Amino acid sequence: MPEPSVLAALVSALRGGSIEVVDLTSPLSSSTPVIQLPPEFGQTAVFELEEISRYDDRGPAWYWNNFRSGEHTGTHFDAPNHWVTGKHLADVASVPARRLIAPAAALDFTGEVAKNPDFLVEVDHIKAWEADNGPLPEGGWLLLRTGWDARSHSQEAFLNADENGPHTPGLSAECARWVAEEAPVIGLGVETVGTDAGRAFSFDPAFPCHSFLMGSDKYGLTQLRNLAALPPTGSVVIAGPLPIVTGSGAPARVLALVERP
């Protein structure tokens, strides 16, 4: 008798509901929040649709659009060449497909962030989580649940900026270096507009998640949602960025497979 097919078992589990597909992607529209840099720097584009035809004289049987978007608008994938530290490394089209499907650890800091939107995850926080849940997954994702996806309806609430700049959670500079250089993961996933904390422009180095992760040939996933539906361990993330040749990143559909009892 042939060995049972692993793929057939997966399909059966998906059909039967013992494996749930959780969509971690924020819908992409003109109201999707975008990062705002100081005015002296270039700015990313808000997502826009341009109608080509809609069952009319321009095309009687079909509806379609052109779209305009920044690579880093909405839920998106950061490739290593996004940052100067990784400028000689892979563009988003060159990321190996096998690395787009990987296990994930979901760490929950919603309580801390509710008290302090500038909350920073330290190495000790991750090591304390590992003591309770086991090591971070080899070749997997470190996902930070902060509750920030609840703010995605509003550009103002999502960026949470005042005269001193944005106030959003993230990793400390030392923790970013540790995740990039010592942790076994391939990247970091967050619910905020970028992988760095809002105050990271003042860190040393500035924007350490970008600097350390990209320079270490690791990746970022941003503006994730529904992380509350993931267990601390055991889920598998499928990240599907557009393979833009020479691109520094791309909008992505990000899904998680979660085994249910």
Side-chain angles (χ1 to χ4, degrees):
M1 294 289 293
E3 290 292 323
S5 167
V6 173
L7 290 179
L10 173 61
V11 171
S12 177
L14 290 167
R15 288 176 175 169
S18 60
I19 293 180
E20 179 185 359
V21 180
V22 179
D23 196 344
L24 306 183
T25 315
S26 297
L28 188 56
S29 73
S30 60
S31 62
T32 297
V34 296
I35 196 168
Q36 291 181 334
L37 300 181
E40 63 268 26
F41 297 119
Q43 306 294 323
T44 193
V46 173
F47 182 82
E48 298 177 357
L49 278 183
E50 176 196 10
E51 189 175 280
I52 303 171
S53 68
R54 193 180 182 101
Y55 327 119
D56 52 28
D57 291 342
R58 299 168 299 170
W62 53 90
Y63 165 57
W64 59 339
N65 303 285
N66 293 316
F67 68 86
R68 180 174 186 263
S69 176
E71 294 174 328
H72 299 268
T73 296
T75 302
H76 63 268
F77 187 102
D78 290 346
N81 70 333
H82 177 42
W83 213 251
V84 64
T85 51
K87 65 181 180 180
H88 299 304
L89 298 175
D91 64 19
V92 69
S94 301
V95 173
R98 59 181 173 77
R99 302 192 86 186
L100 299 177
I101 303 175
L107 282 62
D108 185 0
F109 297 103
T110 52
E112 292 87 344
V113 173
K115 298 174 184 176
N116 176 19
D118 288 316
F119 175 75
L120 298 178
V121 178
E122 303 288 353
V123 176
D124 285 347
H125 290 123
I126 298 178
K127 290 188 174 180
W129 181 92
E130 288 185 305
D132 293 333
N133 298 279
L136 294 177
E138 185 77 32
W141 288 96
L142 169 61
L143 304 180
L144 298 186
R145 181 186 167 207
T146 58
W148 211 258
D149 56 339
R151 296 169 172 257
S152 61
H153 64 284
S154 164
Q155 171 86 5
E156 181 179 356
F158 201 69
L159 298 188
N160 197 36
D162 59 18
E163 65 276 6
N164 298 313
H167 298 275
T168 61
L171 303 184
S172 72
E174 176 56 28
C175 189
R177 186 206 63 76
W178 182 85
V179 170
E181 298 178 2
E182 299 185 43
V185 296
I186 59 169
L188 172 69
V190 299
E191 297 169 332
T192 48
V193 74
T195 53
D196 273 296
R199 305 296 296 161
F201 63 86
S202 65
F203 294 178
D204 184 18
F207 305 106
C209 285
H210 284 81
S211 182
F212 288 130
L213 266 73
M214 306 295 98
S216 297
D217 199 24
K218 292 188 176 182
Y219 313 124
L221 288 174
T222 74
Q223 286 183 250
L224 300 173
R225 60 168 53 188
N226 298 326
L227 293 183
L230 304 188
T233 64
S235 62
V236 173
V237 166
I238 303 169
L242 298 173
I244 302 170
V245 175
T246 76
S248 70
R253 189 74 179 261
V254 183
L255 308 174
L257 303 182
V258 178
E259 192 168 3
R260 300 300 188 196

